[in-house]
Amino acid sequence: MTVVRYAPSPTGRLHLGNARPALLNWLFALARSGTYVLRLDDTDTARSTEEFARGIEEDLSWFGITPTFTVRQSHRTALYDAARDRLIAAARLYPCYETESELDRKRMRARALGRPPIYDRAALNLTDGQKRQYAEEGRKPHWRFKLDGRPVQFADLIKGEQTVNTASMSDPVLVREDGSYLYTLPSVVDDIDLSITHVIRGEDHVSNTGTQIEIFEALGGKVPFFAHHNLLTGAEGEGLSKRIGSLSLAELRAQGYEALAVAIVAVLTGTSLPVEPYPDLRAIARKLDLSMISHGPARHDPAELDGLNARILHTMPFEVARPRLEPLGLASEPLWLALRENLSRFDDIVELSKLVFGPIVPVIAPEDREFVDLARDNLPPEPWDQGAWALWTDTLKEKSGRKGKALFMPLRLALTGRADGPELRSLLPLLGRKACLDRLS
Ligand code: GLU
């Protein structure tokens, strides 16, 4: 049984880069009929908000991601307290009393001596008397996890064999002075408690994984499989920060992008699968394997999103579009098939449909007047299908001697008022003879 989790912090709106682990986990679960847990990492109570939590759920449901269930770390403190106590009892968690400025000084001294600025574990040498005295002075400890100092190895499902040398790391602080938890411990406790089988997350967490595997082992939990994916970056390789509003999923949605286009770009950029239209996420889940994710950077190119969005619309079957056309009063298959190839955003259909239903202002240049009159007088009799256009223009070619652009552009301008747009062959039967007569006149 596969159990994955997506674990965002509700401290901002999700952006395109955050969508990558959200979707990779979803596709992984889909392919295995697994469980998808949404875990809101909201232990940072100062920065987490209810509104951001709702925003995350909205963004996921826009993609069609429906978590099996949701947990909030802020509701699970009792579990973390129990784990904390076990680690203290096992002497893997120890109290430290250094202030920020003391730690700063230690780091500066280490650097001056050319040593790595690793925490010196001075707190391990505190006597019980010293600790009692601190407590009497009202000083509260923060708590550090005592790393083993040996290389931690794991077989990453994307990056292959990894080694994290915890000897070159400071013992991480797991509990703050006020008793609140940093991300590291609650994440492991939840992964154990929820029986997470696969942790799929960004490669910025690889060194965390070294620490976390030690914590899994210290707590006697089963270590899950890990898969660290490359991060989506801007065109210049710069990180997509949560604070870049323009690439927030909410903003992309407001700009009218298809959820599927955004999902494909978020998940397939920087993989060996092409960024191209797929019918739905399930179709991607069937093809994508974690091993296809490249080890190099995944650069996002906004033009690619525009192109893909258009391609998805240009081939979108009527049945897929229908539920969205109905509220617009435009649910007609011939209309959809005639207009879809001119859409860059779905809602463009509203403007484009005016070419059919009007009002439009026909454009007829004085030098084309005579030709347009001829065209009007030679409109074939109805019923019209896609063949009507060829019938009509063959006649006009013969009678006027015009061909190519000189033939069709005056017709397009008179019939639609525009120099570009949908195929006239498809528009003609939608307009009907009466509207054509009016516009040509
Ligand atoms: N809240 C963490 C983050 O957003 C979760 C990382 C993880 O998946 O463990 O980076």
Side-chain angles (χ1 to χ4, degrees):
M1 187 62 188
T2 300
V3 188
V4 295
R5 86 293 197 281
Y6 173 51
S9 301
T11 53
R13 292 305 303 243
L14 298 185
H15 62 66
L16 197 63
N18 307 129
R20 193 168 174 83
L23 287 155
L24 282 173
N25 277 289
W26 178 248
L27 297 174
F28 193 81
L30 262 190
R32 289 160 188 77
S33 303
T35 298
Y36 183 97
V37 181
L38 170 61
R39 187 184 86 196
L40 294 171
D41 284 4
D42 57 353
T43 52
D44 183 348
T45 48
R47 292 174 55 227
S48 301
T49 73
E50 199 44 49
E51 198 183 322
F52 287 139
R54 256 198 315 277
I56 288 170
E57 286 174 343
E58 231 171 78
D59 291 337
L60 294 184
S61 84
W62 183 51
F63 286 132
I65 295 178
T66 50
T68 318
F69 59 88
T70 300
V71 296
R72 288 174 180 250
Q73 292 197 319
S74 58
H75 294 176
R76 299 166 61 83
T77 313
L79 282 174
Y80 312 145
D81 291 346
R84 174 200 61 199
D85 294 345
R86 283 179 57 203
L87 293 177
I88 293 174
R92 291 301 295 274
L93 201 60
Y94 61 95
C96 302
Y97 293 85
E98 291 92 346
T99 61
E100 256 325 303
S101 59
E102 272 173 293
L103 291 172
D104 274 346
R105 248 176 288 133
K106 283 190 189 197
R107 278 190 287 262
M108 265 157 54
R109 214 175 310 137
R111 276 200 205 93
L113 294 172
R115 294 201 202 112
I118 298 176
Y119 176 59
D120 62 7
R121 292 182 160 170
L124 280 178
N125 302 324
L126 291 175
T127 62
D128 287 344
Q130 283 169 311
K131 289 185 210 167
R132 234 186 343 265
Q133 193 186 333
Y134 282 137
E136 277 161 21
E137 288 168 12
R139 281 175 75 167
K140 294 245 165 19
H142 55 275
W143 297 78
R144 286 187 192 261
F145 179 73
K146 189 158 174 280
L147 290 167
D148 250 354
R150 63 183 166 90
V152 178
Q153 282 172 330
F154 62 97
D156 192 278
L157 297 179
I158 295 171
K159 297 170 78 75
E161 202 58 47
Q162 298 291 303
T163 304
V164 179
N165 190 0
T166 63
S168 64
M169 294 159 61
S170 291
D171 286 342
V173 176
L174 300 190
V175 190
R176 297 189 188 90
E177 257 169 50
D178 64 2
S180 67
Y181 294 93
L182 283 107
Y183 148 80
T184 313
L185 178 65
S187 179
V188 173
V189 171
D190 287 335
D191 288 344
I192 296 173
D193 182 64
L194 302 168
S195 308
I196 301 298
T197 57
H198 296 79
V199 172
I200 304 171
R201 60 185 176 189
E203 63 191 3
D204 49 334
H205 284 288
V206 169
S207 64
N208 272 338
T209 298
T211 307
Q212 291 186 326
I213 287 178
E214 284 199 15
I215 300 177
F216 274 104
E217 288 170 350
L219 291 172
K222 190 167 180 322
V223 181
F225 291 102
F226 287 93
H228 293 93
H229 63 78
N230 50 4
L231 302 179
L232 214 56
T233 69
E236 308 297 323
E238 73 279 17
L240 304 180
S241 150
K242 254 185 210 177
R243 291 170 192 87
I244 298 183
S246 62
L247 284 177
S248 75
L249 298 179
E251 178 61 23
L252 293 171
R253 184 159 66 239
Q255 288 173 17
Y257 286 103
E258 296 298 298
L260 185 58
V262 174
I264 291 170
V265 162
V267 87
L268 293 186
T269 301
T271 73
S272 58
L273 279 186
V275 173
E276 64 183 15
Y278 294 79
D280 54 23
L281 293 181
R282 201 167 277 282
I284 303 173
R286 273 196 288 272
K287 291 204 168 161
L288 184 68
D289 189 83
L290 291 177
S291 66
M292 296 173 178
I293 297 175
S294 113
H295 299 182
R299 288 189 208 283
H300 166 60
D301 168 7
E304 192 170 43
L305 176 58
D306 282 323
L308 179 67
N309 199 75
R311 285 173 73 194
I312 287 177
L313 293 170
H314 297 176
T315 52
M316 184 181 280
F318 174 65
E319 283 315 317
V320 175
R322 185 211 280 272
R324 293 160 70 185
L325 293 171
E326 267 160 7
L328 303 173
L330 296 173
S332 140
E333 183 158 20
L335 183 76
W336 173 250
L337 296 181
L339 301 186
R340 66 179 182 181
E341 276 178 36
N342 286 269
L343 304 175
S344 357
R345 300 282 194 276
F346 189 90
D347 286 347
D348 293 348
I349 189 90
V350 174
E351 268 312 299
L352 273 180
S353 68
K354 292 190 184 151
L355 297 183
V356 177
F357 302 116
I360 65 117
V361 182
V363 175
I364 300 170
E367 65 272 22
D368 289 328
R369 183 70 262 177
E370 204 178 314
F371 170 67
V372 172
D373 286 347
L374 179 78
R376 180 198 57 208
D377 296 340
N378 284 280
L379 273 172
E382 284 181 313
W384 283 357
D385 58 14
Q386 299 245 336
W389 169 254
L391 202 66
W392 187 35
T393 48
D394 281 350
T395 311
L396 294 178
K397 224 177 277 178
E398 213 182 295
K399 295 203 172 175
S400 70
R402 291 193 186 217
K403 55 181 189 203
K405 203 172 167 190
L407 176 88
F408 73 76
M409 187 53 83
L411 301 178
R412 176 178 286 289
L413 287 169
L415 290 174
T416 68
R418 286 174 33 168
D420 59 4
E423 294 280 356
L424 290 169
R425 182 176 358 106
S426 315
L427 273 185
L428 221 51
L430 290 172
L431 285 168
R433 198 164 188 280
K434 161 104 186 38
C436 287
L437 275 177
D438 286 351
R439 292 181 186 186
L440 295 165
S441 302

